Amino acid sequence: MAKNIAHHIENQFQGKPRSWRPLVYCWRGGQRSGAFVTWLRLIGWDAAQLEGGYKAFRRHVLAQLDTLPTRLRLFVLAGPTGCGKTKLLHTLAQLGAQVLDLEALARHRGSLLGRAPDGAPQPTQKAFETALWSALRRFDPTQPVFVEAENRRIGTCHLPETLWQQMRAAPRVTLEAPIDARLALVLAEYGFWRHDRKALKAQLLRLKGVVPNAVLAHWQQWIDRGDFAALYRDLMVRHYDPRYRKGLATWSGPIVAHFSFSTLSEATFADLAAQLIAIAASFRPLATVTRETSRA
């Protein structure tokens, strides 16, 4: 153990300032982490030991994930692929609203082609749950929390049952935009696939048996020709949109507002975000509002 402690101090901690305050843990919070804390304190760092170790912390996280979502005023953004739900979340955050960005925590867009642009791996399920717990515990339960309508699974990460059920029952705002505007956004956000066409083909082949072989062949040909506009348009119309509608059909939360807009400009999202904050602040159960906007 002493050799291991010396190795860490020499190779990882030597350059740390005197103000460094490390938290040390092992599985049960026993002698291993206790000995490490003792040595770090002897050096001069204000080290602390995680009581009960990672095992106790993990139990605490899971228990909190069962209760924290029930205390929050969730407000769900729903709409088909390419209508700017994630961009709207970011705009809401910029205006000071509370936002739960599940795709950012999972490092995945939640769709077949939703991997991170740089190909970075997703967090483990445990790491995802810890990050989610950390986000949930910071929210003010008296204020709305905006979240995007997601599948239960975001790539390889799964939403905890309590949060998933709370989202499905929460009030919803639906977003709608013309297919051409949505296509332009999808081409921009998924443009990285142009540089990894082999992987793109492999991903689409996972739909074998879900869509006809002739359709898969057309998709492969469009990739070879570099016609990503035709590919993404067909994917949205044939696969993404029907799948999204089918999934949302089982959600029970009331639709409290509907926004239909013609462009996906910065001004549009700023306007939508401001209206959403006002609607969420004044929302009361059973109240339904419909609003239309086409601001450029």
Side-chain angles (χ1 to χ4, degrees):
M1 182 184 293
K3 183 178 180 181
N4 189 38
I5 292 174
H7 172 79
H8 282 292
I9 292 174
E10 182 178 353
N11 292 282
Q12 294 180 276
F13 308 144
Q14 198 171 42
K16 297 295 185 182
R18 291 187 61 84
S19 59
W20 184 47
R21 302 177 62 189
L23 176 66
V24 181
Y25 64 89
C26 57
W27 179 243
R28 295 181 184 275
Q31 293 182 352
R32 287 182 301 165
S33 55
F36 210 157
V37 166
T38 298
W39 278 102
L40 292 175
R41 286 177 176 172
L42 287 172
I43 293 171
W45 290 310
D46 186 13
Q49 182 183 19
L50 180 62
E51 184 177 353
Y54 181 74
K55 184 178 181 180
F57 173 71
R58 178 71 180 156
R59 285 199 303 267
H60 175 72
V61 168
L62 292 178
Q64 289 274 286
L65 289 177
D66 271 343
T67 58
L68 285 175
T70 64
R71 304 170 186 171
L72 300 178
R73 293 178 54 200
L74 295 179
F75 219 80
V76 175
L77 308 183
T81 298
C83 67
K85 298 184 295 294
T86 300
K87 194 170 182 179
L88 182 54
L89 276 184
H90 295 168
T91 306
L92 285 162
Q94 291 169 4
L95 293 180
Q98 297 188 128
V99 166
L100 177 59
D101 193 341
L102 295 171
E103 292 181 354
L105 295 177
R107 294 203 293 270
H108 198 280
R109 299 299 294 268
S111 62
L112 179 68
L113 305 181
R115 75 170 201 197
D118 60 0
Q122 289 189 252
T124 64
Q125 181 65 24
K126 288 182 179 179
F128 171 68
E129 288 170 349
T130 299
L132 180 58
W133 163 77
S134 183
L136 294 176
R137 65 194 286 265
R138 287 175 168 81
F139 290 135
D140 179 352
T142 67
Q143 300 300 315
V145 177
F146 295 94
V147 62
E148 183 177 340
E150 299 283 358
N151 290 321
R152 175 72 187 274
R153 189 180 72 180
I154 306 176
T156 58
C157 297
H158 290 74
L159 296 179
E161 180 66 21
T162 301
L163 176 60
W164 170 239
Q165 295 301 338
Q166 290 296 121
M167 287 170 58
R168 296 179 69 211
R172 263 182 292 155
V173 170
T174 57
L175 309 176
E176 179 185 0
I179 185 69
D180 288 340
R182 293 168 52 207
L183 178 60
L185 187 63
V186 169
L187 285 169
E189 293 184 342
Y190 291 83
F192 62 90
W193 283 108
R194 293 176 177 273
H195 310 294
D196 198 355
R197 300 186 187 192
K198 183 178 180 180
L200 176 56
K201 285 184 174 183
Q203 279 295 100
L204 293 179
L205 285 176
R206 295 176 60 184
L207 293 178
K208 188 176 180 64
V210 178
V211 299
N213 289 339
V215 172
L216 286 174
H218 278 304
W219 290 350
Q220 303 287 318
Q221 291 168 7
W222 284 329
I223 294 172
D224 288 335
R225 295 204 302 260
D227 193 350
F228 288 88
L231 172 66
Y232 290 150
R233 181 186 291 270
D234 202 50
L235 271 169
M236 285 193 293
V237 172
R238 188 186 300 273
H239 177 67
Y240 282 123
D241 289 1
R243 184 183 179 92
Y244 196 79
R245 287 193 297 268
K246 182 178 179 180
L248 277 182
T250 64
W251 289 43
S252 59
I255 298 176
V256 298
H258 174 76
F259 290 92
S260 178
F261 40 93
S262 59
T263 65
L264 299 175
S265 66
E266 296 295 332
T268 295
F269 286 110
D271 185 32
L272 288 176
Q275 293 188 59
L276 274 177
I277 290 173
I279 291 172
S282 61
F283 172 73
R284 297 294 180 269
L286 301 181
T288 302
V289 178
T290 299
R291 300 197 179 196
E292 301 284 327
T293 178
S294 59
R295 177 175 172 178

